[in-house]
Amino acid sequence: MRYTILAGLMLAGCGDAMAPVQGNGPAAAAGPDTCGAAAYQHLLGKGAAASLVVPEPKRVYGAADPVTLDYLADRINVQLDNTDTIVAVTCG
């Protein structure tokens, strides 16, 4: 019984760490524009090929793609949906 409770507490602490990464959403977009992402908001709704105009450093990823959790203030993130349409352009 004691071990069951301990195991449950240990797993409860891992809840956020085990959650899938959904990419940078509205919370990230609300931060400072340290990378110049505001200049590329016109790409929203366009196809993935439009991300070619975004300068390096950049990261282009889809909804199901694994993404590292590192934060680079000068990197532009271009998030695609399941149809390869740009849905977000943020810093990080």
Side-chain angles (χ1 to χ4, degrees):
M1 175 85 166
R2 191 177 331 167
Y3 295 110
T4 304
I5 293 171
L6 181 58
L9 291 173
M10 289 172 54
L11 290 175
C14 296
D16 290 340
M18 301 301 288
V21 175
Q22 296 297 319
N24 295 326
D33 187 15
T34 57
C35 66
Y40 299 98
Q41 296 303 308
H42 68 278
L43 298 177
L44 296 176
K46 296 189 178 182
S51 68
L52 294 173
V53 302
V54 176
E56 296 291 338
K58 69 180 168 187
R59 174 168 57 180
V60 180
Y61 61 95
D65 293 343
V67 179
T68 61
L69 296 177
D70 61 328
Y71 181 84
L72 301 175
D74 63 337
R75 178 175 54 200
I76 299 176
N77 293 309
V78 180
Q79 184 179 356
L80 308 173
D81 66 7
N82 292 332
T83 63
D84 282 344
T85 301
I86 298 173
V87 295
V89 179
T90 61
C91 296

